[in-house]
Amino acid sequence: MSRSLVIVESPTKVKTIKKFLGADFDVLATMGHVKDLPKSTLGIDVDNGFEPSYNVVDSKKKVMAEIKKAAQKAEHIYLAPDPDREGEAIAWHVAQEINGKNKILHRALFNDLTKNTVLEAIRNPLELNLPKYEAQQTRRILDRLVGYKISPLLWDKVRRGLSAGRVQSVAVRIVVDRENEINSFISEEFWTITASLEGNKPPAFDAKLTKIDNKKAKVTNGEQSAQVLEDLGRQDFVVAKVDKKELKRSPLPPFTTSKLQQEASRWLRFSAKKTMSVAQQLYEGIELGAEGSVGLITYMRTDSMRISEEALQEVRKYIQTAYDPSYLPPKPRLFKNSASAQDAHEAVRPSSMLHRPGDIKQYLSPDQFKLYLLIWNRFIASQMSPAIFDQTVIEITAGSCLFRAQGSIMKFSGYMEVYREGKEDNGADPDEELGKILPDLAVGEILHLLALTPEQKFTQPPPRFSEASLVRELEEKGIGRPSTYATILSTIQDREYVLMEKGKFRPTDLGMLVTGLLVENFPKILDVTFTASLESRLDLIEEGKTDRIDTLKDFYEDFSRELKAAAENMKSLKGKGIPTDMICEKCGSPMSIKWGKNGRFIACTNYPTCKNTMNLPEEGNGQGTADDKTAPDVNCEKCGKSMVLKAGRFGKFMACSGYPECKNTLKIAAGDGSDRPKAEMIVTDTLCEKCGKPMAHKEGRFGKFLGCTGYPECKAILNIHLGVPCPEEGCAGFISERRSKTGKTFFGCTKYPTCKFAMWYRPLPEPCPQCGAPFLVEKRTKAGEVKQCLRKDCRYKADLTLNEG
């Protein structure tokens, strides 16, 4: 047999594919793209059909030399980079470089790296796909035009080193727009009223006020709430309606790329970049002992929910043997793709049902196992029977008020035996009512009122985007494609346009500034709808329905006009920075935020006459504060709430987040005579009982405490409590944060060793709204962070994320 050459994209595939194909095949890897546009010039001839100038990348010249040498000996050459647009471009560029006579070039597509798939692809090769390559070229040219034309403007008008991107800038705009929504949001007070009721049969249950005078209940203040409570106290609570019905909940489809990134973020706390990296490892092959290297999942860049007939039969057979027959529906379940989905690849699924996660766990890293198990469970669940619930809805009248109670009891777990979807970023739980048992009540039955509980609440602004919700937003708005989401999220952080804080994206001052300039001067480029329409045009090019040159001409005609106008009209901020309301303490001039080689800093606008500057390591909003960043590990010694870092005309200080109820502040002393504040020298207003000097926040091997600033002459210390009284009867102490000898944080009484009360959960200084306990505790569960009552006979629990802005 004549010798053949297979060229793949990743070197980790080489060993696996060579094992499948045998000695007559050579397998080499390009290790990514081998050709690209030049870095020093635009590389696009806009006057001659937007012809790109591709060159072999310097770092790949040796690789291409080896591929050319191997190609000279081979009669059949199989170009097998990844089966997406980027992979198609690599295949075309390699083909252009080989350019040998009497060579038979084939395109081989591997949807997964199993022996059957690889052999089938080699037996039935395809031709190179010109429309797919044209789509990739168009995308690359569009990105180059935007990046290389707008970025120099930003260098000229703001500062060197800034960049703009066709997709990245729109992604930043989405984050900035959300931040503007949050900043302009006006919170409104509202009250909820819950009635604890009991019928002739147990158990007691809670019902919420939903209507007053047949209109949606709207209780906006305490006075109105008190009036409603007073009126309800004179009414009978009568069962008006009992609705019982059976509900079926169908399983979710198998993973697309974006849904995999979202669920890995919710369940595993993986970033999109990490998810794709681990998925790539699972796709390219894992060494499974004697079995050798095996690709465990199908190709992980896809927006299709299609499953092959072979895979459907395999998973149905697995469900039939692993579960009761009732868990297998009569027919396979097929999922409909969205209108914009490309159906080139299957959904992300296990490549074979023979590799059960538990059986191969020893060969996987912890991250690989977690992600493989997530993909495995989602795929199996997608082909299982629906879950069945008995849902009960009870409506109760009390005068002109209507209360409603709802509960759902699972009759049959179905697919939920294997998989449940993670919580939304706003804390919404689809299974909130699951397991809530309601009593058997009769219409007309008069209920006994146990308690009426009013609760003051405030409307919350929309939450900042997490990785999961930003990926979903990009997908829903048609920005980018599955293969680009992880790169987009990484790029906007690397460019310092957004920061990740507590798992949420927040735009930096720089991101806000640059986005404002781009929206003002390039409204079309920064328009979400326009960017989405370009993505659709790329899809049409790949399908052979639209011409590449026409698409580029249409784009460049408007873009060049905006570019010319921006060069003349974009305001220059170079040397000026972002204005703040801070005043220079040396000359009285305003201060502004500027950027230097070491990051952001505050500088006097009277430069060079006045050269006063100060450090500003935290991202701020440019309005004279450090954006109220929570001070690390510092709690108010008066009320126990966290302290936030602020900046005033005399520098930085810490203030209680409970303001205006608590107006406690802490000075930050320099300690070493420099302008750089030291967190360990946060001086309080508390005076030492022994020597009268101020006490300062300090931390030792057993946790945080207040120590005398007169140390080492005075070694007096005080425990810092969290504003929560000790629950032990007769104890006058408070709960403080401590650390055990092994370094684990716990919470114990300040009266130790007289009082030995201790617990692992962080106390929250707020009473239980259900039983009146003096404090709640913070717990972390698989579903997220919750606050709940510590008393065993009280079942109060609430999601902490509901209060996040």
Side-chain angles (χ1 to χ4, degrees):
M1 182 179 176
S2 59
R3 195 150 192 85
S4 298
L5 172 64
V6 178
I7 301 170
V8 296
E9 190 173 332
S10 171
T12 58
K13 297 179 184 177
V14 171
K15 186 177 178 181
T16 302
I17 294 173
K18 192 165 180 59
K19 179 186 70 173
F20 295 153
L21 297 178
D24 293 323
F25 285 80
D26 288 328
V27 184
L28 295 176
T30 66
M31 293 181 283
H33 281 277
V34 293
K35 298 178 75 173
D36 200 2
L37 298 170
K39 289 185 177 181
S40 57
T41 59
L42 180 64
I44 308 294
D45 191 344
V46 296
D47 298 320
N48 292 291
F50 298 91
E51 190 64 31
S53 299
Y54 286 108
N55 301 316
V56 175
V57 180
D58 288 342
S59 61
K60 298 297 176 67
K61 288 181 178 179
K62 184 177 179 181
V63 171
M64 274 310 309
E66 292 175 355
I67 290 174
K68 286 181 179 180
K69 185 177 180 181
Q72 291 175 357
K73 304 174 185 176
E75 181 178 345
H76 292 270
I77 300 172
Y78 297 87
L79 301 168
D82 287 351
D84 57 10
R85 288 177 189 164
E86 300 303 311
E88 196 66 34
I90 294 171
W92 275 85
H93 289 160
V94 171
Q96 291 166 359
E97 287 301 304
I98 291 176
N99 196 27
K101 296 180 180 180
N102 302 320
K103 303 295 180 184
I104 304 174
L105 295 176
H106 307 284
R107 180 70 166 111
L109 299 177
F110 306 144
N111 189 51
D112 60 61
L113 291 187
T114 57
K115 187 172 183 179
N116 288 342
T117 300
V118 172
L119 293 179
E120 184 68 20
I122 297 298
R123 283 194 294 264
N124 300 286
L126 306 171
E127 294 183 355
L128 287 168
N129 189 323
L130 179 59
K132 183 179 279 191
Y133 175 48
E134 293 274 76
Q136 191 278 341
Q137 278 199 94
T138 307
R139 196 273 308 161
R140 186 73 183 93
I141 291 169
L142 286 171
D143 290 348
R144 174 55 68 102
L145 289 173
V146 172
Y148 271 51
K149 292 288 188 177
I150 297 182
S151 296
L153 261 180
L154 294 177
W155 286 35
D156 182 51
K157 302 291 187 179
V158 186
R159 71 173 174 92
R160 292 184 63 83
L162 296 182
S163 72
R166 183 181 63 87
V167 176
Q168 81 172 45
S169 295
V170 175
V172 175
R173 180 183 182 173
I174 290 173
V175 177
V176 168
D177 285 349
R178 175 59 59 87
E179 192 71 15
N180 289 333
E181 277 187 79
I182 293 170
N183 291 336
S184 62
F185 182 84
I186 300 174
S187 183
E188 295 181 357
E189 179 184 4
F190 71 98
W191 287 69
T192 61
I193 297 176
T194 303
S196 297
L197 301 164
E198 188 175 48
N200 296 328
K201 298 178 181 179
F205 64 99
D206 290 341
K208 291 187 178 293
L209 175 65
T210 57
K211 289 185 178 180
I212 300 176
D213 292 327
N214 290 321
K215 296 178 182 179
K216 183 179 179 181
K218 192 174 183 181
V219 183
T220 58
N221 55 58
E223 292 77 13
Q224 189 181 353
S225 172
Q227 183 62 53
V228 173
L229 291 176
E230 183 180 344
D231 293 343
L232 287 171
R234 297 190 292 265
Q235 306 297 333
D236 287 333
F237 284 73
V238 183
V239 178
K241 183 180 178 181
V242 178
D243 186 11
K244 294 182 179 180
K245 58 184 177 182
E246 183 179 274
L247 293 179
K248 289 186 177 181
R249 189 186 298 177
S250 297
L252 299 158
F255 281 131
T256 59
T257 302
S258 65
K259 290 296 186 287
L260 175 61
Q261 292 172 349
Q262 291 171 47
E263 288 293 270
S265 173
R266 290 169 181 156
W267 283 115
L268 309 179
R269 300 293 186 262
F270 283 6
S271 67
K273 184 177 182 180
K274 180 175 180 178
T275 298
M276 297 309 292
S277 174
V278 177
Q280 184 91 31
Q281 297 163 17
L282 295 173
Y283 165 69
E284 292 180 347
I286 301 293
E287 289 289 338
L288 301 182
E291 192 175 352
S293 181
V294 177
L296 293 177
I297 64 171
T298 53
Y299 191 57
M300 63 283 162
R301 294 184 179 92
T302 177
D303 54 6
S304 171
M305 294 181 284
R306 178 176 59 83
I307 298 296
S308 69
E309 183 62 31
E310 181 184 355
L312 283 174
Q313 295 307 317
E314 191 179 0
V315 70
R316 284 176 61 81
K317 184 177 180 180
Y318 173 83
I319 295 170
Q320 191 173 30
T321 57
Y323 298 91
D324 185 87
S326 59
Y327 285 87
L328 182 68
K331 296 180 180 180
R333 183 173 281 102
L334 303 178
F335 297 93
K336 186 177 180 180
N337 285 328
S338 65
S340 62
Q342 302 172 39
D343 200 33
H345 318 299
E346 291 184 59
V348 184
R349 63 167 176 83
S351 57
S352 170
M353 300 308 295
L354 297 176
H355 300 116
R356 302 186 185 194
D359 296 341
I360 61 173
K361 184 176 182 180
Q362 60 181 313
Y363 302 111
L364 303 176
S365 71
D367 287 342
Q368 289 170 345
F369 176 75
K370 290 175 185 175
L371 192 64
Y372 183 57
L373 182 63
L374 191 71
I375 295 168
W376 174 278
N377 287 344
R378 175 85 168 217
F379 178 56
I380 293 173
S382 72
Q383 292 302 318
M384 294 179 76
S385 299
I388 302 175
F389 304 88
D390 274 338
Q391 185 187 65
T392 302
V393 178
I394 301 174
E395 292 186 351
I396 301 119
T397 59
S400 61
C401 296
L402 179 73
F403 286 77
R404 178 172 289 149
Q406 182 172 310
S408 295
I409 305 301
M410 184 184 289
K411 286 177 60 178
F412 175 63
S413 59
Y415 78 94
M416 294 181 75
E417 185 77 15
V418 177
Y419 188 88
R420 297 191 185 191
E421 194 171 20
K423 271 190 179 182
E424 296 288 343
D425 285 344
N426 61 7
D429 185 358
D431 300 325
E432 182 181 359
E433 302 294 340
L434 189 58
K436 183 178 179 181
I437 301 174
L438 296 177
D440 188 12
L441 302 175
V443 174
E445 182 176 343
I446 298 177
L447 304 175
H448 176 54
L449 177 63
L450 301 176
L452 280 173
T453 306
E455 186 175 0
Q456 182 190 34
K457 294 186 177 182
F458 294 89
T459 55
Q460 299 295 316
R464 287 175 175 145
F465 288 106
S466 65
E467 286 218 346
S469 59
L470 185 54
V471 166
R472 183 179 61 195
E473 188 80 3
L474 294 172
E475 180 185 33
E476 290 178 351
K477 292 187 179 297
I479 307 300
R481 279 294 177 257
S483 59
T484 65
Y485 296 142
T487 303
I488 292 170
L489 267 56
S490 294
T491 300
I492 62 177
Q493 292 178 82
D494 293 342
R495 297 284 187 261
E496 298 182 356
Y497 290 145
V498 303
L499 290 174
M500 181 67 81
E501 281 187 354
K502 297 182 180 179
K504 302 291 178 69
F505 285 115
R506 181 174 68 80
T508 63
D509 292 328
L510 184 62
M512 299 281 279
L513 172 67
V514 171
T515 298
L517 290 174
L518 293 181
V519 169
E520 181 181 350
N521 293 277
F522 296 93
K524 196 168 184 179
I525 297 297
L526 268 287
D527 182 68
V528 172
T529 304
F530 175 73
T531 304
S533 70
L534 276 182
E535 297 291 349
S536 298
R537 290 287 291 268
L538 295 178
D539 294 342
L540 291 173
I541 293 171
E542 182 170 338
E543 295 164 11
K545 298 177 180 178
T546 299
D547 182 71
R548 174 176 74 90
I549 303 299
D550 289 343
T551 298
L552 290 169
K553 281 182 178 178
D554 290 345
F555 169 81
Y556 196 70
E557 187 176 338
D558 289 338
F559 177 57
S560 58
R561 281 198 296 267
E562 287 188 346
L563 197 65
K564 184 178 180 181
E568 298 176 1
N569 302 327
M570 183 184 286
K571 60 185 177 183
S572 177
L573 297 176
K574 209 165 190 179
K576 297 179 181 178
I578 302 177
T580 74
D581 61 1
M582 297 178 68
I583 302 299
C584 176
E585 67 270 21
K586 293 186 177 180
C587 73
S589 300
M591 305 284 279
S592 65
I593 297 176
K594 294 188 178 182
W595 286 267
K597 63 179 182 180
N598 296 319
R600 301 159 62 253
F601 64 97
I602 294 277
C604 182
T605 56
N606 195 25
Y607 180 87
T609 304
C610 178
K611 298 180 180 180
N612 184 30
T613 63
M614 61 183 293
N615 292 322
L616 186 61
E618 299 84 10
E619 271 298 338
N621 56 19
Q623 300 303 316
T625 74
D627 202 23
D628 292 0
K629 286 180 66 72
T630 301
D633 299 323
V634 178
N635 294 308
C636 175
E637 73 271 14
K638 293 187 178 180
C639 73
K641 292 186 178 180
S642 59
M643 303 292 282
V644 291
L645 188 63
K646 293 177 175 281
R649 60 179 298 188
F650 299 112
K652 294 183 183 179
F653 64 96
M654 289 189 183
C656 181
S657 59
Y659 180 87
E661 288 77 16
C662 179
K663 298 179 180 179
N664 185 34
T665 60
L666 300 176
K667 295 174 287 184
I668 301 178
D672 59 359
S674 71
D675 291 331
R676 187 184 300 273
K678 286 190 174 181
E680 66 268 23
M681 287 298 291
I682 301 169
V683 182
T684 74
D685 292 330
T686 304
L687 300 179
C688 175
E689 294 179 354
K690 292 186 177 180
C691 71
K693 290 184 178 179
M695 306 288 279
H697 278 270
K698 296 188 177 182
E699 185 167 0
R701 58 180 299 195
F702 297 118
K704 295 183 287 293
F705 63 95
L706 291 181
C708 182
T709 54
Y711 181 87
E713 289 76 16
C714 179
K715 298 180 180 179
I717 62 171
L718 288 174
N719 288 320
I720 301 173
H721 66 75
L722 302 178
V724 175
C726 177
E728 292 292 325
E729 187 174 350
C731 181
F734 287 83
I735 305 300
S736 66
E737 183 177 328
R738 307 287 297 278
R739 205 155 46 226
S740 68
K741 292 181 179 179
T742 59
K744 191 172 182 180
T745 299
F746 71 97
F747 302 90
C749 183
T750 54
K751 295 294 185 180
Y752 179 86
T754 305
C755 177
K756 297 184 179 180
F757 173 81
M759 61 181 176
W760 294 114
Y761 305 117
R762 177 178 290 277
L764 300 172
E766 55 181 286
C768 175
Q770 191 159 296
C771 72
F775 65 89
L776 299 173
V777 295
E778 179 182 318
K779 286 189 177 183
R780 291 186 178 181
T781 67
K782 289 183 179 179
E785 295 184 351
V786 300
K787 56 181 179 181
Q788 70 181 63
C789 186
L790 196 62
R791 291 180 177 174
K792 294 181 180 179
D793 57 346
C794 179
R795 295 185 298 173
Y796 175 77
K797 182 186 293 186
D799 197 324
L800 271 173
T801 60
L802 287 173
N803 295 322
E804 288 186 3

